[in-house]
Amino acid sequence: MTESTTGRAVTEADFWFDPLCPWAWITSRWIREVERERPVRVRWHVMSLAVLNESRLDELPPSYARLMREAWGPARVCTAAAQLHGEEVLGPLYTELGTRFHNEKAERTPETLAAALAAAGLPETLADAAGSPEWDEPLRASHASGIELVGQEVGTPVIAVPGADGRPNAFFGPVVTPIPRGEAAARLWDGVLLVSSTPGFYELKRTRDASPVFD
């Protein structure tokens, strides 16, 4: 932990995202709210549903399998940006990509990638990374650094904070819609940390009966 300007200890929260996942996008906007309400600082990392599901594409519904193939491109672009310009560019780039993909329903095209890169202050030429397996090794490494904290039976996002015992307190989710705002976001954060830090705690779940809401 570090210290904020108010003297309160700042929790460093590591957040792994796949830019195409709508549920991860909602969670990412929630944790940005948490940053405003609690002494939390987020560090962004790339993970990939394409990597997570590559061994079972034949088992997936065709529409989801197609999405998994498309997921390589944006994840590669984010990986290339982080490798060439530092991981600190991932927060602004994810915001630009997510706004276009999810809020604006933009097509997942090279033009959309280039526009997001430019808006994040990055070279538009990084859009070429979408079709290049050159970035797969560091993408897999970033993915593994998150997924190994929680196991293979989850998805994106993964969040990790320092645990009381010195080991990471890591978890998948939370999966929520619409985006909690203000103090409601902070209360959810407090509750997630409470249950996830309980020794032996693994799961709370109920069936989703709503689609993602991007407000």
Side-chain angles (χ1 to χ4, degrees):
M1 290 189 181
T2 58
E3 191 172 279
S4 70
T5 55
T6 61
R8 300 173 68 187
V10 175
T11 298
E12 303 282 357
D14 291 287
F15 191 112
W16 284 264
F17 66 92
D18 183 307
L20 286 195
C21 178
W23 296 102
W25 174 243
I26 290 177
T27 306
S28 75
R29 299 310 93 182
W30 159 71
I31 206 169
R32 293 302 302 269
E33 288 284 314
V34 172
E35 283 187 300
R36 299 182 184 99
E37 301 291 331
R38 294 288 188 268
V40 172
R41 182 179 299 118
V42 180
R43 297 182 296 206
W44 303 93
H45 312 278
V46 189
M47 66 181 298
S48 174
L49 290 173
V51 173
L52 188 67
N53 290 290
E54 65 182 335
S55 65
R56 59 189 196 98
L57 283 179
D58 293 341
E59 305 168 17
L60 301 174
S63 60
Y64 194 71
R66 184 166 56 253
L67 180 66
M68 293 303 96
R69 294 185 183 96
E70 292 179 4
W72 283 104
R76 284 169 172 164
V77 170
C78 289
T79 301
Q83 290 286 304
L84 297 174
H85 299 276
E87 286 201 324
E88 63 273 12
V89 306
L90 285 176
L93 178 56
Y94 183 28
T95 291
E96 297 298 337
L97 287 170
T99 299
R100 286 164 174 77
F101 291 156
H102 306 298
N103 295 73
E104 299 173 2
K105 309 300 182 187
E107 295 293 326
R108 295 184 284 270
T109 62
E111 292 75 20
T112 299
L113 294 172
L117 286 160
L122 292 164
E124 294 183 30
T125 52
L126 282 172
D128 295 340
S132 174
E134 170 189 357
W135 304 104
D136 290 359
E137 183 176 348
L139 171 57
R140 290 178 187 278
S142 180
H143 174 89
S145 67
I147 207 71
E148 287 172 358
L149 298 174
V150 292
Q152 297 291 327
E153 297 178 359
V154 299
T156 179
V158 169
I159 299 173
V161 298
D165 59 0
R167 295 181 297 177
N169 171 20
F171 48 88
F172 158 66
V175 177
V176 61
T177 193
I179 303 163
R181 303 288 187 183
E183 184 58 24
R187 288 198 304 271
L188 177 57
W189 175 253
D190 296 341
V192 166
L193 292 189
L194 176 64
V195 298
S196 64
S197 62
T198 300
F201 175 83
Y202 293 107
E203 187 172 11
L204 279 174
K205 191 169 184 179
R206 52 188 172 192
T207 300
R208 280 179 257 170
D209 58 3
S211 299
V213 176
F214 314 118
D215 57 344

